[in-house]
Amino acid sequence: MKKILLSLTLLIFGYSVSAQEWMKKYDEVGVFDNDRAYVRKNKKYGYVDKNGNEIIPCIYTYVGTFNEQGIVWVNKGGKIRKRSRTIEEGLYGLYDIDGNLVLPVEYQHMGEMVMSDYGKPYYWFKSVTGLSPQDAHPQRHFPSVEKSFFVNNKGLIWVAKRDNMFKTTEPIEIDFRPFDKISKDYIPFASDNGEKSNSKPKIKWGIFDAKTKKIVLPCNTYDMCFNPSGNYIPVTSKTYQFSINYYCIETGTLVFKNQIPTLAVSPVYNGKFMVLDESGCYFMNMQGERDAQSYDAVLASPSEDIYIVYKDSQYGAITPDGQVIIDLKYKLLAPPDEKLICYVDKDANGKSRYGFLDLEGHQVTPPLYNSIQSFANKRAMVRQGDKYGCIDTNGREILPCRFSKIFVPETIKTDIYFVQEEENGPKYAYKAYTQQRLFETPFKNIRNFDRDYNGVAFVTQQQPGKDDETVGCINQYGEMLIPCICHSYEEALKMYYTRQREGYYHWSDADTRHYYLKHYSDRNDFKLTEKISNDYWDY
């Protein structure tokens, strides 16, 4: 059996018969990927190239899989936890795809840069814009702001004087399983160096850059380090939990003689970083000089290089190094969403309403709306009074605010929207940027586009004066592919599939006559099936 499997492997990967000879040396040979395959011999692992040459010696207890940067971890002396099947103990190192040992196998810990999970999850700012604008206040948006935070790869998302739980991306040890990949560019590694704190080993972290294949921070000094930003790595000692310094990768030295007291760990951007203390949030340069301007709170964007700032009950926007983009003059600004900034200002009648600014602070949409939801698939729901509409990322109205409910498509490929014109009313189909119904007969139930077939949504209609429902489907352009004549969902699926397979893409009156003759020629009442199960339908 083993010979048969080996022969199949050789056939699949096109290797010559001579390849079998070197394979016989091993108890197991993995599948080749990028001309590299793991091998096992005497319960030890290594890697070989396509010619069978060992590029990583077959001496390791466990190995990982090469990642996109061509880096793989190895472990020597570890053992598997019975329940989780993860590796514990042993020493870790790193090889590159050419077989070079780029990090010695001498470290007790290896991990990834991840967000620390302190407190409650971040209360996403845009989700609360449904509140009345007079409620636009950060403490109302963040009911547990003392413990609420979020971070991204650029640094801070929310910082406030009342929040002391904030950190940027920091290293944690990963519980590797055999053949796991390292997914990040920066790979933290650590050693206890024989030191102890409270009878426990004292771990010190360093960082390996998978792109340059170099150690950018040795693991012999710092209890904690954070994701590098440019040429700098924020570092701290647990003795100084709320203080920070910056390690310069280029010089291999600390920037500041003393730790900088701060309640937040900030990345360096254009030579500046953020400091948070009891006086507020402000910027400091690498010479230790602070900006004169400070803020009560700073809210960074997940997608743009913009910070929303808050002071004296007014909002504005700045760059991550403190340059003013939008003056402090709005009752509310939200982080950019699809390059639009939601704001609150007075409408023509002097009432507070929501609108949109661009990234330079120019008005895109006047303050017209009572509420605005976040964008999804380039579309956002808006509300005027008790009626809903929908806008695009240019601020144009896809649908006007005159509907009781709008069912926004889950796919961006269609411009067809299903709406209820009145509360609990029937559902009609509308095309984007028009105010015309596509069909005068409403739908009872709707299945999302692309759920069954690309560009197709199945729908039902209720027969006048009856409880019976019939099924059909429309395409992403609003054309009725099959009218609502099928007596079950399964029948409509089968009919659509058959017609597509046979090359019939448009429905005609002759098709309707043929359908009724085929299904109801022996019946006089044309009675259809009972109500179709709601389990099938999204709306």
Side-chain angles (χ1 to χ4, degrees), residues 57-94:
C58 200
I59 59 173
Y60 295 106
T61 312
Y62 302 104
V63 294
T65 299
F66 284 100
N67 66 10
E68 288 71 17
Q69 287 77 35
I71 299 295
V72 65
W73 59 267
V74 296
N75 175 280
K76 201 169 189 178
K79 57 184 180 180
I80 292 290
R81 295 185 179 97
K82 289 185 178 180
R83 290 188 177 181
S84 64
R85 304 299 298 167
T86 56
I87 302 167
E88 61 182 356
E89 300 182 358
L91 298 177
Y92 287 92
L94 297 172

Side-chain angles (χ1 to χ4, degrees), residues 55-216:
I55 59 169
I56 297 178
C58 200
I59 59 173
Y60 295 106
T61 312
Y62 302 104
V63 294
T65 299
F66 284 100
N67 66 10
E68 288 71 17
Q69 287 77 35
I71 299 295
V72 65
W73 59 267
V74 296
N75 175 280
K76 201 169 189 178
K79 57 184 180 180
I80 292 290
R81 295 185 179 97
K82 289 185 178 180
R83 290 188 177 181
S84 64
R85 304 299 298 167
T86 56
I87 302 167
E88 61 182 356
E89 300 182 358
L91 298 177
Y92 287 92
L94 297 172
Y95 278 85
D96 68 15
I97 202 164
D98 297 319
N100 301 308
L101 183 64
V102 292
L103 188 70
V105 187
E106 57 187 44
Y107 300 101
Q108 290 98 331
H109 308 277
M110 187 166 288
E112 292 190 351
M113 289 290 186
V114 300
M115 182 185 76
S116 297
D117 186 17
Y118 291 103
K120 298 180 180 180
Y122 174 57
Y123 195 82
W124 175 231
F125 194 87
K126 284 299 291 299
S127 70
V128 299
T129 55
L131 298 173
S132 60
Q134 55 266 33
D135 290 334
H137 186 280
Q139 300 315 312
R140 293 192 179 100
H141 290 178
F142 298 87
S144 300
V145 70
E146 291 84 3
K147 295 183 178 180
S148 298
F149 77 102
F150 188 75
V151 297
N152 66 6
N153 59 354
K154 295 177 182 176
L156 304 176
I157 290 294
W158 174 259
V159 177
K161 285 189 292 186
R162 301 170 182 83
D163 190 340
N164 60 1
M165 302 293 288
F166 227 92
K167 295 182 184 298
T168 57
T169 307
E170 66 180 53
I172 69 164
E173 184 177 5
I174 298 296
D175 292 327
F176 287 114
R177 291 181 172 86
F179 308 114
D180 275 353
K181 279 186 181 181
I182 295 175
S183 62
K184 308 295 184 183
D185 291 337
Y186 292 112
I187 305 171
F189 60 97
S191 175
D192 57 32
N193 295 323
E195 298 183 38
K196 290 189 175 182
S197 175
N198 296 326
S199 73
K200 293 182 179 180
K202 190 175 182 180
I203 298 173
K204 295 187 181 296
W205 286 94
I207 298 176
F208 178 85
D209 187 344
K211 289 184 176 180
T212 63
K213 301 179 184 178
K214 294 180 180 178
I215 295 175
V216 293

Side-chain angles (χ1 to χ4, degrees), residues 133 145 247 253 322 435 452:
V145 70
Y247 178 87
T253 59
Q435 299 187 39
D452 300 295

